[in-house]
Amino acid sequence: MAAHRIKLTDLTTYIDLYAGAVKLREGGLNIGAPRPDPRYISSPISDGDNLSAIRYGNRTITLRLRATGASLSALQTNIRAIQRLLNDASQYINNPGYRKVYLELQWGDSPSNSTYFQVLHGQLLMPDTWYSPALANSFNIIDCTLVLECKPYGINIGVGIAQATLENYQTDPAFNYQDITMAESQGDVPAGLYIKIDQTGATGSKKLWVAKRSGARYNDTLWTEGESETSSTDVEAAAKCTFSDQGDAACSGANYRRNRYEPVAGSTAGQIIAYHSYDMATPPRGTFRVLIRCAVNNAGTWANRKWGFGYVYGAKTYTPSLSLGEYFSNTAHTAFEWLDLGLLSIPPVPESDGAGNNTFTLRINQYFDETHINGTYDWNLDTVFLLPVDEGVVILNSIAADDIIAIDGWTDPPNVFKIASDKITDYPSYVGAPFLLGRDNTRIYILRDDAIAVTFTVDTNYQPRRLTI
């Protein structure tokens, strides 16, 4: 019979429960299953409930053991070694001086191929007859039971992915994303993900976005050059808008789309001047933050030249509102920067199992919030990026040029760190949460509010997790 691994361990001390002095009896392992905790949403106009979320509670693992010793003191030593690890497991959460304790399981004895269940607490239960004359003669407890309360998932040793260098824009062959192809053998539930990001060529203290997409939607087109518009529309009746593509090597695609507005003096204040339309015949699906890389010139009061997004979907048209805070200004003039224009759901109406989705047209609006005087006013649009947020996103504020960021989805609870030499130095301000890596093909996006020449060196590792082994 092939050797197996069944060990109780804090990764320093290992107690062999397969071939040691305290070992598993034939048929004595019951891994159990974690308790599902589903949440449902009901509707008075439809039958059945819809699953909105599901989480798993802990799992109970029991092992029927036989404990032996060459002497009474040896038997006591073997039992107490288990009890010490059980104590450490229950003390760990409140006392960092203790270590995590795991039950290591493997059908075989191959290095780095075990599954580990974190033990939260446990009991070693003795049979009613254990303190008997037979024990005194043989130092042999035939049927004791180890009951372990564990985290729901078994975890494997971390898997490294080849280091990648990402750009701060998308113009083939430069991309701001990394594709990860998952193997079915690497777990049966989403894996913990650890991403280390080192920046090169960055300046100042800027915002950083990190997000993911997976499955059939992983390679949706989410990046559009400003100059790739379907059309540009002059809205104000008295306006004099001139639309053109302008070359600039510092822009994505080496071009940007310019709306040059030369108004008649005294034109009405506070209105949409123009918009660029971007038709998506096969639109991406999901929830996004609409990010644009844009600039305005310094004629007049530049902060009153604003940006917002609207859309057209079939007969439905949406126009942003200034009073609702749906228009945004650049923080400076002439320099390109990334603006976050808010959340967008595509499609914006419920989908059908019978009818397909319509063409979705995204509009990037230019708005003038002042009484116009003679002059030349430019709105310059470099890029539109639909940042996916429905599968997981981390948005970090004020990330310095030399900061190394670790997005840690392994740890419980997950967190984001600044690190140096793989040691924590600080905790950055961020919104969102570190995300998991699913079993499907996945694309990880990184973007910094900085020059397109910035690059990211990305080291990615994931920790497979299992419901079954």
Side-chain angles (χ1 to χ4, degrees):
M1 181 178 181
H4 301 301
R5 289 192 185 184
I6 305 175
K7 298 179 180 180
L8 192 66
T9 176
D10 61 1
L11 304 184
T12 298
T13 299
Y14 291 82
I15 298 177
D16 188 349
L17 301 179
Y18 178 75
V22 181
K23 58 186 176 182
L24 188 71
R25 299 192 65 188
E26 184 73 24
L29 175 62
N30 184 348
I31 298 178
R35 297 182 291 273
D37 181 18
R39 306 297 171 91
Y40 296 95
I41 297 175
S42 61
S43 169
I45 60 173
S46 62
D47 296 322
D49 298 331
N50 289 321
L51 181 68
S52 63
I54 186 169
R55 62 177 295 276
Y56 286 94
N58 297 330
R59 85 165 68 211
T60 301
I61 300 177
T62 59
L63 301 94
R64 292 177 53 236
L65 305 171
R66 176 174 180 171
T68 61
S71 64
L72 179 59
S73 61
L75 176 61
Q76 291 170 335
T77 296
N78 295 335
I79 291 174
R80 288 167 183 169
I82 294 175
Q83 294 287 13
R84 278 194 295 271
L85 285 184
L86 297 180
N87 175 73
D88 290 355
S90 60
Q91 293 293 326
Y92 169 78
I93 191 65
N94 295 316
N95 191 331
Y98 292 88
R99 299 187 181 94
K100 288 183 181 180
V101 174
Y102 300 92
L103 180 67
E104 178 187 1
L105 297 176
Q106 184 186 151
W107 286 358
D109 193 25
S110 301
S112 304
N113 200 36
S114 293
T115 299
Y116 296 83
F117 291 94
Q118 184 186 344
V119 178
L120 300 175
H121 69 87
Q123 291 180 287
L124 183 59
L125 306 176
M126 298 299 174
D128 294 340
T129 59
W130 77 277
Y131 205 77
S132 67
L135 173 62
N137 294 327
S138 65
F139 312 114
N140 185 0
I141 303 175
I142 295 176
D143 195 6
C144 52
T145 303
L146 181 60
V147 182
L148 304 176
E149 184 80 1
C150 300
K151 286 281 194 176
Y153 302 122
I155 60 175
N156 296 121
I157 298 297
V159 178
I161 295 172
Q163 187 181 78
T165 300
L166 310 186
E167 308 290 339
N168 202 29
Y169 68 108
Q170 285 188 29
T171 302
D172 193 16
F175 300 103
N176 74 323
Y177 60 77
Q178 176 186 19
D179 286 340
I180 301 173
T181 301
M182 294 295 291
E184 289 185 4
S185 61
Q186 296 294 347
D188 52 15
V189 293
L193 183 64
Y194 184 95
I195 306 173
K196 184 175 76 172
I197 304 169
D198 194 353
Q199 307 166 108
T200 301
T203 59
S205 184
K206 304 289 180 65
K207 181 173 286 189
L208 189 72
W209 293 270
V210 184
K212 65 166 282 195
R213 290 277 276 180
S214 64
R217 307 181 303 168
Y218 93 99
N219 60 351
D220 281 346
T221 299
L222 306 181
W223 184 283
T224 303
E225 300 296 343
E227 65 273 15
S228 298
E229 82 292 341
T230 305
S231 61
S232 295
T233 303
D234 187 341
V235 174
E236 189 191 6
K240 296 181 179 179
C241 289
T242 303
F243 305 105
S244 62
D245 295 343
Q246 299 293 312
D248 188 339
C251 286
S252 177
N255 287 280
Y256 63 87
R257 184 66 170 168
R258 184 181 74 185
N259 170 22
R260 172 158 287 180
Y261 174 49
E262 298 176 282
V264 176
S267 298
T268 304
Q271 59 185 318
I272 298 173
I273 301 303
Y275 58 78
H276 304 305
S277 297
Y278 300 87
D279 288 352
M280 305 174 191
T282 306
R285 296 167 52 249
T287 304
F288 309 89
R289 299 204 73 88
V290 180
L291 307 184
I292 63 170
R293 189 171 188 265
C294 59
V296 294
N297 69 358
N298 60 356
T301 308
W302 55 266
N304 285 331
R305 264 157 295 148
K306 301 179 184 297
W307 303 85
F309 78 84
Y311 59 79
V312 178
Y313 184 75
K316 183 177 179 62
T317 298
Y318 179 78
T319 302
S321 165
L322 182 69
S323 63
L324 295 178
E326 295 175 331
Y327 282 98
F328 301 86
S329 301
N330 291 81
T331 59
H333 60 75
T334 69
F336 279 94
E337 64 179 311
W338 283 96
L339 291 185
D340 185 339
L341 303 185
L343 281 171
L344 169 65
S345 293
I346 304 177
V349 299
E351 295 186 77
S352 168
D353 290 334
N357 288 330
N358 210 329
T359 295
F360 181 87
T361 300
L362 179 67
R363 290 177 173 176
I364 302 299
N365 293 359
Q366 296 97 57
Y367 191 97
F368 211 156
D369 192 24
E370 66 177 294
T371 300
H372 314 162
I373 59 175
N374 291 333
T376 300
Y377 304 89
D378 291 346
W379 283 261
N380 302 323
L381 179 61
D382 180 17
T383 302
V384 180
F385 179 45
L386 300 180
L387 178 79
V389 298
D390 47 3
E391 292 187 39
V393 65
V394 174
I395 304 174
L396 302 106
N397 295 300
S398 302
I399 299 303
D402 59 352
D403 283 340
I404 299 175
I405 300 300
I407 298 177
D408 183 0
W410 284 10
T411 305
D412 185 15
N415 212 330
V416 179
F417 306 101
K418 294 181 182 181
I419 63 173
S421 301
D422 289 325
K423 292 181 172 57
I424 297 170
T425 61
D426 202 356
Y427 301 86
S429 170
Y430 71 94
V431 296
F435 34 81
L436 301 174
L437 182 63
R439 302 185 313 279
D440 300 312
N441 291 341
T442 298
R443 179 166 288 181
I444 305 294
Y445 291 95
I446 303 176
L447 185 69
R448 180 179 169 90
D449 184 14
D450 210 330
I452 66 170
V454 173
T455 61
F456 310 101
T457 301
V458 183
D459 292 285
T460 305
N461 294 271
Y462 66 93
Q463 189 174 65
R465 306 190 306 166
R466 304 177 185 277
L467 277 172
T468 58
I469 64 170

